Amino acid sequence: MDRRTYLKGTLGLAAGALLPPGVIALSGCSGTDLAEGVACFRGRTMGTGYSVQSAEPNGLSKALEADTAALLEQIETRMSTYLPSSELSRFNASRDTDWMPLSAPNARVIASALEASAASGGAFDATVGPLVNLWGFGPDDRRGAAPAEAEIGAALERVGYANIELDAAGEAIRKLRADAYLDLSGIAKGHAVDDVAELLERHGHTAYLAEIGGELRARGTKEDGSAWRVAIERPTAGRRAVYRVVELRDAAIATSGDYRNFFDAGGQRYSHSIDPRGGRPVAHELASVSVIADSTMEADALSTALMIQGPAEGLDFAREHSLAAHFVIKSAAGLNETYTDAFARHLVA
């Protein structure tokens, strides 16, 4: 499958979520590090920060800043699993198996999430929520101990993207299992970045960098004609540091990792990256994976799928589908990296 036709996933849309793994914009959004000729504003959404940078001569207007905040608030009211009143939460709470109407934006995102679920063989699965919640990484935030085997088995019975049927054209959805549960957190931030990019373009911006929680989309160049540069984080808990620098031109990047959101119990570390196929946090040596794609939503879903698959299966999948993917792998000697040829073209030497 060509990556253009293919389209993390457990970080919820929480008001107090941990800092997610991601990518750092090298020209930031403060008075001390903002690049010359670049205007910027920032705010909070989905339990993390967002920023918008523009190299347009007219800068960024207050109207655009207000429109961006309003847009992101609307997305949360549709897709959050933390807000009981959101459209997604109401669907999850229902035990009705009849068709239910959907907003057009949710229909589009759920269609992409189900496509990613099928294309990745369930490594990305939009119905992973029961497992995420069971392991304590959901809205209840109950992490601290591994669940019992019987609990894992019961939650696994509820997981499976085939339990959801979507009529995207008719903007309707239904459950084929009454207790099915959708969790769009592995794709919602990417969708939100893409929506912000579309808003910028409606306002006439053609040179910008939009970012939410370390997931970014770039268009055009800075004032001096140079590409937007962003840094992949070194996958180390407790601090932020640069591991690799890449250039983005009319592209998006997203990262998934196991080093920010986890708990330790019984001498073992349990990551928030839950494998929907087995019901447990991943235990392989992949620390983080970054994907560059045409859209941030695509990069978001792909980085989650590859993170679940691990270094061997993930790299094979990335090469098979011609993905631009970068893997950071833990070893006894430290950190190693590998990446596809498509990703190498974006690296800064």
Side-chain angles (χ1 to χ4, degrees), residues 38-56:
V38 175
C40 182
F41 63 75
R42 58 186 171 183
R44 299 283 298 175
T45 189
M46 300 182 181
T48 188
Y50 71 86
S51 66
V52 173
Q53 300 181 45
S54 174
E56 297 292 340

Side-chain angles (χ1 to χ4, degrees), residues 198-219:
E198 290 178 10
L199 177 64
L200 284 162
E201 292 178 16
R202 289 198 298 272
H203 280 254
H205 289 262
T206 58
Y208 60 78
L209 183 67
E211 174 265 339
I212 299 177
E215 300 184 2
L216 303 98
R217 181 165 172 171
R219 184 180 175 191

Side-chain angles (χ1 to χ4, degrees), residues 17-347:
L18 295 174
L19 182 70
V23 188
I24 308 166
L26 291 181
S27 56
C29 200
S30 71
T32 58
D33 60 7
L34 193 60
E36 183 178 354
V38 175
C40 182
F41 63 75
R42 58 186 171 183
R44 299 283 298 175
T45 189
M46 300 182 181
T48 188
Y50 71 86
S51 66
V52 173
Q53 300 181 45
S54 174
E56 297 292 340
N58 295 330
L60 294 163
S61 68
K62 288 296 184 181
L64 176 57
E65 185 173 355
D67 286 350
T68 301
L71 170 66
L72 294 172
E73 183 177 358
Q74 291 168 7
I75 292 172
E76 285 202 88
T77 63
R78 291 193 301 265
M79 299 182 189
S80 174
T81 57
Y82 286 75
L83 298 175
S85 60
S86 76
E87 182 178 7
L88 189 63
S89 291
R90 287 184 279 110
F91 171 76
N92 286 335
S94 172
R95 291 299 180 264
D96 196 336
T97 56
D98 290 336
W99 287 101
M100 299 175 61
L102 268 180
S103 63
N106 267 13
R108 290 195 301 272
V109 174
I110 292 170
S112 295
L114 294 177
E115 180 185 351
S117 300
S120 66
F124 177 100
D125 194 317
T127 64
V128 72
L131 288 167
V132 174
N133 298 338
L134 177 65
W135 282 91
F137 296 104
D140 293 338
D141 194 21
R142 296 180 292 102
R143 78 198 73 175
E149 290 297 321
E151 294 177 301
I152 296 172
L156 262 173
E157 290 181 0
R158 298 175 58 194
V159 175
Y161 57 90
N163 291 326
I164 302 294
E165 187 174 359
L166 177 70
D167 178 358
E171 297 174 2
I173 191 171
R174 67 174 176 177
K175 299 178 178 184
L176 301 183
R177 179 183 169 114
D179 59 356
Y181 183 102
L182 272 174
D183 183 347
L184 300 177
S185 58
I187 203 168
K189 278 195 303 176
H191 158 72
V193 174
D194 291 336
D195 269 12
V196 170
E198 290 178 10
L199 177 64
L200 284 162
E201 292 178 16
R202 289 198 298 272
H203 280 254
H205 289 262
T206 58
Y208 60 78
L209 183 67
E211 174 265 339
I212 299 177
E215 300 184 2
L216 303 98
R217 181 165 172 171
R219 184 180 175 191
T221 63
K222 290 178 285 187
E223 187 180 45
D224 61 2
S226 63
W228 297 97
R229 287 190 170 190
V230 301
I232 297 171
E233 279 192 313
R234 177 172 291 276
T236 305
R239 63 187 180 91
R240 307 196 80 171
V242 172
Y243 189 78
R244 272 290 200 171
V245 176
V246 300
E247 290 187 339
L248 289 184
R249 294 178 185 268
D250 300 331
I253 187 169
T255 295
S256 291
D258 71 349
Y259 58 97
R260 292 282 185 212
N261 200 1
F262 58 84
F263 69 87
D264 293 307
Q268 185 170 347
R269 174 164 293 187
Y270 296 97
S271 163
H272 80 286
S273 297
I274 311 293
D275 190 338
R277 303 167 299 182
R280 292 170 174 77
V282 297
H284 50 62
E285 297 305 308
L286 184 56
S288 75
V289 58
S290 301
V291 174
I292 295 174
D294 293 333
S295 75
T296 327
M297 184 164 65
E298 180 183 4
D300 200 0
L302 285 166
S303 67
T304 297
L306 297 179
M307 184 66 209
I308 297 301
Q309 289 171 339
E313 182 187 355
L315 184 58
D316 287 346
F317 184 92
R319 286 173 172 162
E320 179 184 355
H321 297 286
S322 302
L323 305 180
H326 177 276
F327 301 80
V328 182
I329 303 163
K330 296 172 285 187
S331 72
L335 297 174
N336 300 310
E337 67 176 341
T338 189
Y339 43 83
T340 62
D341 291 343
F343 195 93
R345 294 193 290 269
H346 298 271
L347 285 172

